[in-house]
Structures are given as structure tokens and as C-alpha cells.
Amino acid sequence: MEDRALLAPGAARSLFREGLVTPTSGWSAGWTQANLLALPRDRAYDFLLFAQRNPRPCPVLDVTEPGEVTASIFDGDLRTDLPAYRVYENGEQVAEVSDVVAYWREDLVCFLIGCSFTFETALLEAGVPVRHLETGTNVPMYRTNRDCRPAGALSGPMVVSMRPVPAHLVATAVRVTSRYPAVHGAPVHIGDPGALGVSDLDRPDFGEPVEVRAGEIPVFWACGVTPQAAVMRSRPPFAIGHAPGHMAITDIRDTAHLVP
Amino acid sequence: MEDRALLAPGAARSLFREGLVTPTSGWSAGWTQANLLALPRDRAYDFLLFAQRNPRPCPVLDVTEPGEVTASIFDGDLRTDLPAYRVYENGEQVAEVSDVVAYWREDLVCFLIGCSFTFETALLEAGVPVRHLETGTNVPMYRTNRDCRPAGALSGPMVVSMRPVPAHLVATAVRVTSRYPAVHGAPVHIGDPGALGVSDLDRPDFGEPVEVRAGEIPVFWACGVTPQAAVMRSRPPFAIGHAPGHMAITDIRDTAHLVP
């Protein structure tokens, strides 16, 4: 597993298809990671509009045709090649599984949404440490008190991921991630978790907590779990998402998203 | 009319609402201009997906609820406050009119799409001349031989706008416009019109021709008339667009679209 950063996307997906369950932060460095949301076709417009209205948490990278299990940026099987999935009925999680073959429906449209794991390679190269990579744990994610702009039947709070950054490197982290708007871009909030409605950093809503050391500032990026938070609040009859932190590793380079 | 560049968006819209018909290049400098496409709700998903798959020609700035005549970035009446409109039935243009009140339907969803007029202020400030502003004519636009990625029932060619740029300023034009991806961003093609399938620059498909002088290179940007070219090819039962070059002047600053 020491080579996880060097694995090609197809090789990583094979391991997940064979049953490996692990957060994907640090895997396949240089390749774009993506959040998954699959919804029935009759809910697809609401979600695509929700994403258009909330581009920071929901940057859409690709959309499949109904029933398709591959995508133009994902040359694998979306039902099996992520490490773990969550299945929702009427907004309630009814299963967390390592494949969704048994739950698949021919009317499902898959949305692949940019993930901030993508820019972690660039953060490391710029000298910004990434704590959850050091500890080998999942990134901490929090529901905020900021509501997304609703669209049709979909509404919900913005979810954020958090990385502690030494104060003298916060500006560097902003500068580096600003260049990747398709994978959430610049932070949405720096310091002051309470203003986001996050009362206890040690109790994330998704993922695992990390230590914030003296001299470090908690920096928050919009997170692609936001669509699942909207599913939980808005209760569509059926939906599938990735398990938070357990992403789709795509065949598109992270540099494809760089802006000048 | 000398003050057209200084007019606030609301003042410009008032003139158009009262019946003035004119291309809007050079109007309300510093404010974002937008293309309009209105489609019945049952065609809206196909178009939003078409835009997601073709972000260079179709950067979506805003989407209305069905029947709404204002938008979050457009504090006017979308039926009357553009200088001119085109109405399509089954892909055929059936009218060009200065308002579409008589054609309005309660199931129409309006898409506002970024327009390259928005970055012309930045080009001028960078010392790049804009010929059609000098001549006071509409920008020349061309259908290309490049097909967009289809979505559902929608397919069609990419349309481009063309500005002749002195060879030593082409790089500047690229650099400046790259920073505005939401209003088409960097050129899609520089020089060699034939490779785009454009056989005669003097005969644009939309707008008016401009002179390309010795030492100037034709530079092509993706154009928000592309959705109307898709309507013409794909023949949805009903659609409304702006008349090419006769844009929606919005209430959002052009600097809101700047990337780092």
C-alpha cells in the first residue's frame, strides 16, 4: 500500500472492485478524484440546476446517460469501482456497501462532482502539510449553517472539508487551491468554525477528526458531500452516493482543471 | 448615444424596453452581458446538460424558474429588456422582434449564458483594439465544423465570434480573456479560419463582417449563439433566443467572473 500514490486510476479501481474499502485521499496522485451522486432521471434536472446554483460545493465534472455505468472521465464501472457507497431511500441511508450492483436501476443518472482531494498534491508540492494524509485518516467534514440555493425539490446545507494550515501558509493554501475551481477552488471560510455553525471540530459529521495544533488555522473548503446532505434533507425516493472520503478515481489529470 | 458605455444596466434596459434595437457591444462597460435561450421546461434538462458538456460556448450564468421573467442577475423583464429576440418553432426562425410578450409561455425556462462582449473592456484596457467597436458594427460570428457534445435531443455546431488582433498582441488577448472563463474565456482557435470550416471571413453567419488588416490574425472565441445553432439543428417545438449581438445586460459586474 505504500505505492497508493503511484497507482494508475485503473489499478486503484481494480482494488476497490475486488473489495478494498479505504478513503482515497493520497491515492493516484495527479489524477482527479470525484464525488458520486446517482439519482433517477426524473430528479436529474433538479440536481443539475442545484449544482449550477451552487458551483463551489457542486462543480459537475461529468454526467452519464440514464443507466450508463461508465462516464467519459471514468473508464470503469461506477457500480463497483469506488471503495464504498451509501444508498438512500426517502433521504434515509439504508445501506453502506462496497458495490451497488444489487441496487442499480436503469433510470439512474450519475453525476461526478469535483473533490478537494484532487488539489492535495498541489498543496504538498507548495509545502502546505495535509494533516489527514500524515495520519492516514479520512478528512473531517462538517455540515454548516449555510444553506445552498435550492433548486426544484432539492435544498440543503453546504458541507465543508477542513484542513489545519500553519498561519504563515494559509495564503499559500488559498493561492494554490484558487487555481482549481473545478475541484472546489479557494476556501470558503478561514478560521472561526463557530461562524459556520461548527461547534466542535473534534466531532465531524463525516470522516474523522484531526488535530489542530498551536499556530494552525482551520481552513474550510466546500465539499462534494453537499449533494448527499441535500438528499438527506430533501428526501428524494432513491439516491446513491459514494461513502464520504471514498471517491471515484477518474482518468482525467488534475492539471486539466488548472486555471491561469 | 455617446454615453452608452457609461449607462447603468437598468438605464440601458429601459431604452431597449422602449424599443431601441441595437447591438450591445460597448454598452454598459464593466457589466456582464449575456446570451438568452428560453426553452419549455420539458426541454430544460437537455439544454442544461448540453451546457455542462460544452462549457466553452455555453457557460451558464443563471437559470430561471419556469415562467419567471426576471433572474437573480437580471433585475428587469427578460421578455422586453433585450434589444431584439428571435423566435423559433421546430427550429425555424418565425420572428425577429423587439419584445416577446406575445410569444411568452408559462413553461419557459430562461438560460442566461456568458457573452464575450463582457471581456472587451478588459481587452481595451490591455491595449488590444476591438475592430467592431471601432466601426460601431455587430461582431462577426460563424458556424464552425466542430460539433458540440450532444445531450439528449440537442446537438449542433460550435459558433464562434471573431476579432482581428495585431500579431504582437495575440498573446495579450489570450492572457486577458483566459481570466474570464464564465464569458467564454480564452480563444478556441487562432488564425487559419479554414481549419474551423470558415471559408470566407467576409460572410459571417451572424452579425457583420469586419476588416482583417495586414499584420492582424483572426482570433476566434466560443460564442453564446451556439445554443441557437443547436435549436436550428435539433428542432425543439419552441424556443426563444436573443438576436445575435443584441444581448441581455445584467446587474453583475464583469469582475465577478475573474479567475486568479
Side-chain angles (χ1 to χ4, degrees):
Chain A
M1 296 298 294
E2 290 92 303
D3 293 321
R4 61 184 190 174
L6 302 177
L7 280 179
R13 291 192 298 254
S14 288
L15 292 173
F16 304 147
R17 187 163 57 244
E18 290 159 12
L20 178 65
V21 176
T22 174
T24 53
S25 179
W27 283 65
S28 300
W31 298 94
T32 301
Q33 299 204 19
N35 302 270
L36 172 69
L37 184 70
L39 283 171
R41 169 65 181 84
D42 62 3
R43 303 280 167 157
Y45 178 69
D46 282 0
F47 180 70
L48 198 51
L49 186 59
F50 184 82
Q52 194 279 329
R53 290 181 175 168
N54 300 283
R56 299 298 287 280
C58 305
V60 177
L61 301 179
D62 208 355
V63 185
T64 63
E65 298 299 318
E68 272 190 354
V69 299
T70 63
S72 62
I73 66 168
F74 186 88
D75 185 23
D77 188 323
L78 288 163
R79 302 168 302 176
T80 57
D81 291 6
L82 279 67
Y85 301 81
R86 290 184 172 178
V87 181
Y88 298 90
E89 290 177 6
N90 301 310
E92 302 287 339
Q93 184 184 322
V94 295
E96 179 159 326
V97 286
S98 67
D99 77 68
V100 290
V101 171
Y103 296 93
W104 193 251
R105 296 165 37 155
E106 287 305 308
D107 66 342
L108 288 177
V109 174
C110 290
F111 298 90
L112 291 171
I113 297 146
C115 169
S116 58
F117 289 172
T118 308
F119 59 52
E120 289 177 346
T121 307
L123 285 172
L124 294 174
E125 287 171 354
V128 179
V130 178
R131 179 70 28 80
H132 65 270
L133 282 174
E134 296 167 358
T135 56
T137 51
N138 199 352
V139 68
M141 295 163 267
Y142 306 86
R143 278 193 187 85
T144 70
N145 58 8
R146 294 196 197 177
D147 273 352
C148 293
R149 278 184 69 193
L154 274 180
S155 64
M158 182 170 65
V159 176
V160 293
S161 64
M162 189 280 287
R163 293 163 185 80
V165 177
H168 71 287
L169 290 172
V170 170
T172 301
V174 171
R175 184 175 55 76
V176 167
T177 60
S178 294
R179 297 188 64 205
Y180 292 91
V183 291
H184 302 305
V188 292
H189 197 88
I190 296 171
D192 197 8
L196 278 180
V198 176
S199 55
D200 186 352
L201 287 177
D202 288 334
R203 299 179 60 183
D205 295 298
F206 310 94
E208 297 169 85
V210 294
E211 183 190 2
V212 181
R213 297 179 189 154
E216 292 180 339
I217 308 295
V219 178
F220 300 91
W221 281 268
C223 176
V225 172
T226 300
Q228 293 189 53
V231 164
M232 287 180 247
R233 184 183 291 176
S234 311
R235 302 179 166 272
F238 187 75
I240 293 173
H242 66 291
H246 300 65
M247 317 307 294
I249 299 183
T250 77
D251 296 288
I252 188 168
R253 288 276 183 188
D254 52 15
T255 49
H257 309 295
L258 265 180
V259 296
Chain B
M1 297 298 291
E2 289 94 302
D3 292 321
R4 61 187 188 170
L6 302 177
L7 279 178
R13 292 193 299 255
S14 288
L15 292 173
F16 305 147
R17 187 163 59 242
E18 290 158 12
L20 178 65
V21 175
T22 174
T24 51
S25 179
W27 282 66
S28 301
W31 298 94
T32 301
Q33 299 203 19
N35 301 270
L36 172 69
L37 184 70
L39 283 170
R41 169 66 182 84
D42 61 3
R43 303 280 168 157
Y45 178 68
D46 282 359
F47 181 71
L48 197 52
L49 187 58
F50 184 84
Q52 194 279 328
R53 290 180 175 168
N54 300 283
R56 300 296 289 279
C58 305
V60 176
L61 301 180
D62 208 355
V63 185
T64 63
E65 299 298 317
E68 271 191 356
V69 299
T70 63
S72 62
I73 66 167
F74 186 89
D75 186 23
D77 189 324
L78 288 162
R79 302 168 302 177
T80 57
D81 291 4
L82 279 67
Y85 301 80
R86 290 183 172 180
V87 181
Y88 298 90
E89 290 177 7
N90 301 309
E92 303 286 341
Q93 184 184 322
V94 295
E96 180 160 327
V97 285
S98 66
D99 77 70
V100 289
V101 171
Y103 296 92
W104 193 249
R105 296 165 36 156
E106 286 306 309
D107 66 343
L108 288 177
V109 174
C110 291
F111 298 91
L112 291 170
I113 298 148
C115 169
S116 58
F117 290 172
T118 308
F119 58 52
E120 290 177 343
T121 307
L123 285 173
L124 293 174
E125 286 172 356
V128 179
V130 178
R131 180 69 29 80
H132 65 269
L133 281 174
E134 296 166 359
T135 57
T137 51
N138 200 351
V139 69
M141 294 163 268
Y142 307 86
R143 276 192 188 84
T144 70
N145 58 7
R146 295 196 196 178
D147 273 351
C148 292
R149 280 184 68 192
L154 274 181
S155 63
M158 182 170 65
V159 176
V160 292
S161 63
M162 190 278 287
R163 293 163 185 80
V165 177
H168 70 286
L169 289 173
V170 171
T172 301
V174 171
R175 184 176 54 76
V176 168
T177 59
S178 294
R179 299 187 64 203
Y180 293 90
V183 291
H184 302 304
V188 291
H189 197 88
I190 296 172
D192 197 7
L196 278 180
V198 176
S199 55
D200 186 352
L201 286 177
D202 289 334
R203 298 179 59 184
D205 295 297
F206 310 94
E208 296 169 85
V210 294
E211 183 189 3
V212 182
R213 297 181 189 153
E216 292 181 338
I217 308 296
V219 178
F220 300 91
W221 281 267
C223 176
V225 172
T226 299
Q228 293 188 54
V231 163
M232 287 180 246
R233 183 183 291 176
S234 312
R235 302 179 165 273
F238 187 74
I240 293 173
H242 67 291
H246 300 65
M247 317 308 294
I249 299 182
T250 77
D251 297 288
I252 187 168
R253 288 276 184 189
D254 50 15
T255 49
H257 309 296
L258 263 181
V259 296

